[in-house]
């Protein structure tokens, strides 16, 4: 079985300072997992939220409709439940409530057993000057690598 599905949220590391990460399972229906296995999903604008019962859901995750399905197809932008241990859920719920942190998905992938997993992170929003600093560091590193390559090459 191929498991080359690796859908990333590239903006998350730029927009947020990552404090902690977990790998969570996702509750999916039959046609949703088939679409994800075809890499027809996006987590670019998604975020995670707790409901009243303390369960964690990923909101705004887009899983395109499966092309070979009948009228029993899934909704592309529905809330999907994430599976974590109670202890982990309580820890993050408290952190989100008290500190005002955000839970953002970083990566959606298929593990060795063929199950869909999502890497989620507890993040703190960056200020505008932090984002500028990140861009400056990235440009400096690129220029340094370019000079090293020209010198060694």
């Amino acid at each position: 079985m191929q498991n080359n599905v690796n859908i990333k949220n590239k903006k998350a590391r730029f927009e947020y300072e990552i404090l902690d990460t977990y790998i969570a399972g996702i509750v999916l229906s039959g046609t949703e997992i088939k679409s994800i296995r075809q890499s027809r999903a996006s987590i670019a604008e998604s975020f995670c939220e707790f409901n009243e019962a303390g369960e964690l859901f990923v909101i705004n995750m887009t899983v395109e409709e499966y092309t070979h399905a009948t009228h029993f197809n899934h909704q592309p932008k529905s809330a999907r439940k994430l599976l974590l241990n109670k202890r982990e859920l309580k820890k993050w719920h408290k952190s989100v409530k008290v500190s005002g942190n955000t839970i953002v998905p970083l990566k959606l992938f298929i593990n060795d057993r063929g199950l869909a997993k999502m890497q989620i992170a507890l993040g703190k929003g960056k200020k505008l000057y932090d984002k500028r600093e990140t861009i400056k560091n990235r440009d400096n590193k690129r220029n340094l690598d370019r000079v090293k390559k020209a010198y060694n090459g």
Side-chain angles (χ1 to χ4, degrees):
M1 176 189 241
Q2 289 181 334
N3 58 351
N4 55 1
V5 176
N6 197 4
I7 301 162
K8 294 181 181 177
N9 186 356
K10 294 178 183 176
K11 274 192 167 183
R13 291 192 188 275
F14 180 71
E15 296 284 335
Y16 299 97
E17 177 186 337
I18 305 301
L19 305 174
D20 194 12
T21 61
Y22 279 124
I23 303 290
I26 314 171
V27 178
L28 299 170
S29 68
T31 55
E32 287 174 328
I33 187 66
K34 290 177 180 186
S35 288
I36 289 174
R37 286 193 179 130
Q38 291 179 344
S39 295
R40 297 177 60 81
S42 171
I43 56 171
E45 300 146 3
S46 58
F47 59 96
C48 299
E49 209 172 61
F50 285 96
N51 67 356
E52 300 83 34
E55 299 170 331
L56 187 62
F57 284 85
V58 62
I59 313 293
N60 241 3
M61 177 176 131
T62 306
V63 179
E64 292 181 27
E65 289 187 350
Y66 185 58
T67 54
H68 303 303
T70 59
H71 61 280
F72 293 112
N73 221 331
H74 64 274
Q75 295 293 322
K77 278 203 179 226
S78 65
R80 292 165 180 93
K81 185 177 177 180
L82 295 176
L83 305 171
L84 286 170
N85 293 337
K86 270 187 182 174
R87 157 176 59 83
E88 296 165 345
L89 284 171
K90 283 182 183 177
K91 178 181 164 188
W92 276 21
H93 190 62
K94 189 173 93 175
S95 179
V96 168
K97 259 182 153 176
V98 176
S99 309
N101 294 332
T102 308
I103 301 174
V104 289
L106 296 178
K107 186 166 68 170
L108 178 65
F109 62 96
I110 305 288
N111 71 356
D112 298 336
R113 294 175 50 203
L115 302 173
K117 299 286 182 176
M118 183 177 281
Q119 182 181 17
I120 55 175
L122 186 66
K124 186 176 184 179
K126 283 186 181 179
K127 302 282 187 230
L128 184 61
Y129 55 84
D130 290 333
K131 293 179 189 177
R132 287 187 194 134
E133 189 73 26
T134 304
I135 292 170
K136 190 168 81 174
N137 289 339
R138 189 171 51 210
D139 289 345
N140 288 340
K141 185 180 181 309
R142 188 181 310 127
N143 290 336
L144 185 65
D145 289 343
R146 193 176 294 141
V147 168
K148 282 182 182 178
K149 185 177 179 184
Y151 181 74
N152 292 334

